[in-house]
Amino acid sequence: VDILWIVDSSGSMAEEQNYLGTNFQSFINELVNIGVDFQTAVTSTDVCESEVPPELENRACPVDYGGSAATQHRGTFIGDNGAQILMQGQSDLQDKFLEYTAVGVNGSGFEHGLYATKLAIEKSLNGGNPSFLREDGFLAVIVVSDEEDDGIGLGMTDAYNGINFVQQGYTTFSYTHEDLTDYLTGVKGAGKFSVSTITGTRDAGGNLCTSSHSNPQEEGTQYINAANSTGGIVQSICESNWSSSLAQIGADLSAQVTQIALEGSPDPSSIEVTVDGQPHSQWTYISGTKTVKFDAGAVPAVGATILVEYRTLQ
């Protein structure tokens, strides 16, 4: 598993970054428990450029809104030169992860977790980042942010300054969870990647979550949609027990990496799964990637015979 962390570097994220680093061991423990060969890298949500591009469609950051050349990572992996990728088993893994994910709070107020993912993968493929994607690896993207992704957020009224940047004519930039899913499908293939998130959520009554350490002004709908459409999972950034949240993400990777890509356009109501000849009901159809994902804790054993039968839509 190649695990890419996208960490919000805007002004409201100091405590969350600390929670992430100090509770990271619970995530690692779950990866050890499920027996995966993992490596990880980190970048931030700041994709701004030193100059605002003249073309409206390229203005991911349409005005100077926090950030500087030092924080504009644009998908570049954070860390010591030649050691940006943290490897399973290295003695200083926890310390380095704590250091790398402390991306600071001086990044731009335009948070682009999804677009930063694309830029990070592109740079890994073309030499701008150390080579990260292994041919036989599963790519797990995990975004940590207390705001909406500005791939659509630029067309919303900003929670802090009240401006709708698209309506005001500052930009036409857009990058949605569907765009990222399409991109990663092309790079990795269906069933070979997922997006999970720790982000702002709403309760059953529609109220934004709140806690002593995090008070998001927006729900991270694009991150949530990306997770739901790729077989990842969602954790609330307001959760006080980050050790548990990170452990759940780690444990769910055992299910994510065993997704089965289906051919054609399946009729979800027709899907039937058997394991070693016996009906198996603990699975979910992931429509965004047309895959079957087994529930965490219900993944068939190594060597099991799995049969998935379904009708395709005409």
Side-chain angles (χ1 to χ4, degrees):
V1 183
D2 304 322
I3 306 166
L4 176 59
W5 294 84
I6 312 291
V7 182
D8 190 337
S9 58
S10 63
S12 58
M13 284 290 295
E15 283 194 83
E16 290 89 340
Q17 291 174 24
N18 182 62
Y19 275 34
L20 177 61
T22 57
N23 290 284
F24 182 60
Q25 189 59 48
S26 64
F27 176 78
I28 296 302
N29 291 344
E30 288 299 330
L31 298 187
V32 172
N33 288 340
I34 63 178
V36 298
D37 171 14
F38 68 89
Q39 61 180 10
T40 191
V42 179
T43 192
S44 77
T45 55
D46 193 339
V47 304
C48 295
E49 301 177 79
S50 296
E51 300 291 335
V52 175
E55 306 87 359
L56 287 176
E57 67 271 17
N58 293 330
R59 292 182 183 175
C61 304
V63 297
D64 182 10
Y65 191 25
S68 66
T71 65
Q72 292 162 4
H73 296 108
R74 292 186 58 78
T76 299
F77 292 160
I78 295 167
D80 302 330
N81 189 33
Q84 295 96 328
I85 298 176
L86 302 176
M87 309 298 295
Q88 177 180 4
Q90 72 179 71
S91 59
D92 59 351
L93 175 61
Q94 170 116 8
D95 291 340
K96 285 299 181 183
F97 185 80
L98 181 60
E99 175 186 334
Y100 291 2
T101 54
V103 296
V105 293
N106 296 316
S108 175
F110 296 115
E111 299 99 331
H112 285 279
L114 301 183
Y115 191 53
T117 300
K118 179 187 178 185
L119 293 178
I121 298 303
E122 284 182 337
K123 288 184 176 182
S124 178
L125 295 173
N126 66 24
N129 277 331
S131 180
F132 181 62
L133 297 184
R134 292 174 288 184
E135 185 176 353
D136 61 346
F138 182 91
L139 172 63
V141 178
I142 306 174
V143 183
V144 183
S145 176
D146 64 350
E147 302 296 338
E148 177 63 278
D149 184 90
D150 274 311
I152 68 160
L154 295 173
M156 301 165 54
T157 300
D158 189 275
Y160 290 97
N161 59 27
I163 296 175
N164 183 310
F165 290 94
V166 171
Q167 285 186 356
Q168 295 295 319
Y170 287 94
T171 183
T172 60
F173 179 86
S174 175
Y175 195 79
T176 68
H177 72 93
E178 292 101 334
D179 292 326
L180 180 62
T181 298
D182 289 345
Y183 173 72
L184 294 180
T185 299
V187 170
K188 291 296 299 180
K192 296 298 184 181
F193 66 91
S194 66
V195 179
S196 295
T197 187
I198 302 175
T199 192
T201 57
R202 294 185 184 275
D203 62 21
N207 302 304
L208 276 169
C209 72
T210 184
S211 70
S212 60
H213 66 269
S214 189
N215 291 285
Q217 300 299 304
E218 298 168 339
E219 181 183 16
T221 63
Q222 287 295 286
Y223 303 131
I224 294 169
N225 289 341
N228 290 337
S229 65
T230 62
I233 66 172
V234 178
Q235 296 291 307
S236 175
I237 204 163
C238 299
E239 173 60 53
S240 59
N241 188 350
W242 277 51
S243 178
S244 175
S245 295
L246 289 167
Q248 288 182 49
I249 293 175
D252 197 69
L253 277 171
S254 66
Q256 295 175 30
V257 301
T258 53
Q259 291 183 68
I260 300 172
L262 307 185
E263 297 179 2
S265 296
D267 175 358
S269 66
S270 72
I271 299 173
E272 296 180 355
V273 179
T274 59
V275 176
D276 291 333
Q278 299 299 314
H280 190 92
S281 60
Q282 294 176 278
W283 55 268
T284 302
Y285 175 63
I286 309 299
S287 61
T289 50
K290 298 178 182 177
T291 59
V292 165
K293 175 191 173 186
F294 292 102
D295 296 348
V299 177
V302 173
T305 299
I306 303 167
L307 177 63
V308 183
E309 296 179 288
Y310 56 95
R311 295 188 304 271
T312 55
L313 298 171
Q314 300 299 319

